[in-house]
């Protein structure tokens, strides 16, 4: 199922995540401190909501254990090739950095620790405490673990609920329980031990977006303009708060619902914003957004350090901005290659092996 404007929006937000992770030391202060970039980490919640909507759309009739196994195999095939590639690349780079360039590494880990983080990532468990409190390899991979856990929970509940005709109720209980846990834990923006809680909340909201979108009603196109306006207001307010319990609970209360509402509005409108998001450049970014997301963290961590540290490039606002633009372009080019040769070809290879 393809809705091009949602693909385009996913592409835009994936680039904003790149902006967020770009190191402060290598970016002009006026750009790094821009409130819209500083709060861009919340776009991960958008990815979860959108994923939940797409899965509900495509697998709402999931009813048997055989269908569940096939569903999980397809989800594994979709996620694993690029995850394996980026985790292995991160492992190699960490080993090289730790043993040969320790002065350029933030935290030097032993080989057993690196291997545990590697296995935690490949087992899709690094958003949970199953293998300990590691964040896995490649800092953003926690959300892929959270995604897989959300797939499993959705699939299991779908099978149970088909018999009892109460899937929405059970998924609602999962959302409420996850919210209560986040409040009890005093934290929502988790990326390690309990990052899967964050995923469960937004992913399962996506199911309700799908459910509501099936109703026969229209939304005036003018409502599309509220999406960027409200997003700017929310990010501006969040940026004024010091990160802590109050801010995290405000994010929990506002951000997932806002992204769920935004997706629903876009599903029911066809205004100017829809046309912009459906443009070829943005849809292209949406197509390669998974590669952008998993590739960028390594690239923006290493490349600025190489140019400004090892190659002694003079560091000023002009060179910082120029290198930033070049690295963003490189992330897109590199991600297009991994999309074609890792995501697509890797998925075809796994499909031939697993689905035979």
């Amino acid at each position: 199922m393809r809705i091009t404007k949602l693909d385009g929006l996913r592409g835009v937000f994936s680039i904003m995540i790149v902006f967020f992770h770009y190191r402060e030391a290598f970016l002009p202060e006026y750009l790094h401190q821009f409130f819209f970039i500083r709060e861009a980490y919340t776009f991960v919640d958008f990815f979860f909501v959108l994923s939940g909507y797409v899965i509900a759309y495509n697998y709402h009739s999931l009813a048997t254990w055989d269908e569940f196994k096939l569903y999980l195999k397809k989800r594994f095939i979709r996620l694993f090739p690029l995850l394996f590639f980026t985790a292995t690349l991160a492992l190699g780079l960490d080993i090289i950095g730790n043993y040969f360039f320790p002065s350029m590494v933030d935290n030097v880990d032993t080989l057993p620790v690196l291997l545990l983080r590697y296995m935690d990532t490949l087992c899709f468990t690094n958003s949970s405490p199953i293998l300990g409190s590691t964040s896995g390899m490649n800092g953003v991979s926690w959300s892929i673990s959270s995604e897989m856990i959300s797939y499993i929970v959705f699939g299991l509940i779908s099978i149970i609920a088909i018999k009892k005709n109460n899937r929405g109720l059970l998924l609602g209980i999962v959302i409420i329980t996850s919210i209560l846990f986040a409040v009890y834990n005093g934290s929502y923006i988790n990326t390690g031990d309990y990052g899967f809680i964050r995923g469960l909340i937004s992913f399962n909201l996506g199911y309700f977006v799908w459910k509501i979108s099936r109703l026969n009603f229209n939304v005036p196109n003018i409502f599309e303009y509220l999406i960027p306006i409200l997003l700017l207001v929310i990010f501006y307010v969040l940026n004024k708060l010091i990160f802590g319990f109050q801010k995290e609970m405000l994010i929990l209360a506002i951000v997932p619902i806002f992204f769920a509402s935004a997706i629903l509005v876009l599903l029911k409108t066809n205004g100017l914003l829809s046309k912009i998001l459906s443009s070829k450049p943005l849809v292209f970014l949406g197509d390669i957004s998974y590669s952008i997301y998993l590739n960028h963290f390594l690239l923006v961590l290493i490349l600025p350090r190489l140019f400004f540290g090892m190659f002694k490039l003079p560091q000023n606002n002009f060179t910082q901005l120029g290198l930033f633009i070049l690295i963003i372009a490189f992330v897109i080019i590199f991600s297009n290659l991994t999309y074609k040769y890792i995501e697509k070809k890797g998925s075809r290879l796994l499909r031939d092996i697993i689905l035979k």
Side-chain angles (χ1 to χ4, degrees):
M1 189 273 301
R2 291 288 304 275
I3 300 175
T4 55
K5 56 183 147 183
L6 295 182
D7 286 341
L9 190 56
R10 181 170 55 198
V12 172
F13 288 171
S14 69
I15 293 296
M16 291 307 306
I17 292 285
V18 183
F19 288 4
F20 171 75
H21 282 131
Y22 202 92
R23 288 302 179 94
E24 178 180 4
F26 305 119
L27 200 60
E29 184 176 357
Y30 67 85
L31 189 57
H32 183 268
Q33 295 302 323
F34 182 47
F35 73 93
F36 197 76
I37 292 177
R38 286 299 84 226
E39 303 304 321
Y41 58 89
T42 56
F43 288 134
V44 175
D45 299 275
F46 167 83
F47 297 147
F48 286 140
V49 177
L50 181 58
S51 182
Y53 166 77
V54 171
I55 291 300
Y57 183 98
N58 288 303
Y59 294 100
H60 58 270
S61 60
L62 199 63
T64 68
W65 287 108
D66 286 339
E67 291 174 347
F68 175 71
K69 287 187 287 186
L70 179 61
Y71 153 77
L72 279 190
K73 287 177 181 178
K74 288 182 176 179
R75 295 297 87 210
F76 176 82
I77 288 168
R78 172 70 183 95
L79 296 180
F80 190 75
L82 186 65
L83 182 68
F84 176 78
F85 171 78
T86 53
T88 303
L89 179 62
L91 175 63
L93 291 172
D94 268 346
I95 291 174
I96 292 171
N98 287 354
Y99 287 95
F100 298 99
F101 304 100
S103 62
M104 297 183 66
V105 177
D106 292 333
N107 297 299
V108 177
D109 292 319
T110 63
L111 185 59
V113 170
L114 290 177
L115 291 175
L116 176 61
R117 288 170 51 200
Y118 182 64
M119 292 307 300
D120 205 10
T121 303
L122 296 186
C123 291
F124 295 97
T125 52
N126 57 312
S127 68
S128 74
I130 292 174
L131 292 183
S133 55
T134 89
S135 58
M137 302 302 300
N138 188 10
V140 296
S141 66
W142 71 271
S143 63
I144 310 306
S145 162
S146 182
E147 184 114 338
M148 179 58 80
I149 291 171
S150 295
Y151 291 156
I152 293 170
V153 170
F154 176 84
L156 290 174
I157 285 181
S158 294
I159 294 173
I160 296 170
I162 287 296
K163 297 176 181 178
K164 299 179 180 179
N165 197 30
N166 59 358
R167 177 165 51 181
L169 174 62
L170 293 178
L171 291 175
I173 291 172
V174 170
I175 293 173
I176 293 170
T177 303
S178 299
I179 290 172
L180 291 175
F181 179 86
V183 174
Y184 171 79
N185 199 41
S187 177
Y188 172 66
I189 305 299
N190 287 308
T191 60
D193 284 358
Y194 298 106
F196 75 96
I197 295 294
R198 183 177 172 187
L200 286 175
I201 293 168
S202 293
F203 182 95
N204 288 308
L205 274 177
Y207 165 82
F208 291 99
V209 173
W210 168 77
K211 195 77 173 175
I212 296 171
S213 71
R214 298 174 66 207
L215 301 176
N216 186 23
F217 67 93
N218 295 316
V219 175
N221 288 339
I222 195 172
F223 274 75
E224 288 189 355
Y225 296 107
L226 290 177
I227 295 173
I229 292 171
L230 289 176
L231 184 60
L232 286 170
V233 171
I234 290 169
F235 276 21
Y236 183 80
V237 171
L238 290 177
N239 192 246
K240 292 297 183 181
L241 298 175
I242 298 174
F243 208 90
F245 177 78
Q246 181 184 7
K247 182 171 181 175
E248 293 206 44
M249 293 303 103
L250 186 61
I251 293 171
L252 170 60
I254 294 176
V255 169
I257 290 293
F258 169 75
F259 285 136
S261 301
I263 291 172
L264 184 60
V265 167
L266 288 171
L267 289 170
K268 293 293 184 177
T269 55
N270 192 31
L272 179 60
L273 182 59
S274 290
K275 291 177 172 59
I276 293 172
L277 293 174
S278 298
S279 63
K280 287 184 178 180
L282 297 187
V283 172
F284 164 73
L285 290 178
D287 287 340
I288 66 171
S289 59
Y290 181 43
S291 275
I292 290 174
Y293 184 73
L294 279 186
N295 287 329
H296 83 273
F297 193 78
L298 301 174
L299 297 176
V300 301
L301 183 69
I302 294 170
L303 293 180
R305 292 186 178 188
L306 284 178
F307 281 94
F308 289 124
M310 186 174 293
F311 301 150
K312 305 299 181 182
L313 180 71
Q315 192 167 347
N316 53 55
N317 281 352
F318 177 77
T319 57
Q320 286 178 332
L321 184 59
L323 185 61
F324 172 70
I325 294 170
L326 287 175
I327 289 175
I328 296 299
F330 182 75
V331 167
I332 293 172
I333 293 169
F334 184 73
S335 296
N336 186 39
L337 292 174
T338 59
Y339 171 72
K340 290 179 179 178
Y341 298 108
I342 304 297
E343 283 191 63
K344 304 292 282 187
K345 289 193 173 183
S347 292
R348 282 197 293 267
L349 177 62
L350 278 182
R351 194 176 296 112
D352 291 340
I353 295 171
I354 295 175
L355 297 183
K356 272 189 174 180

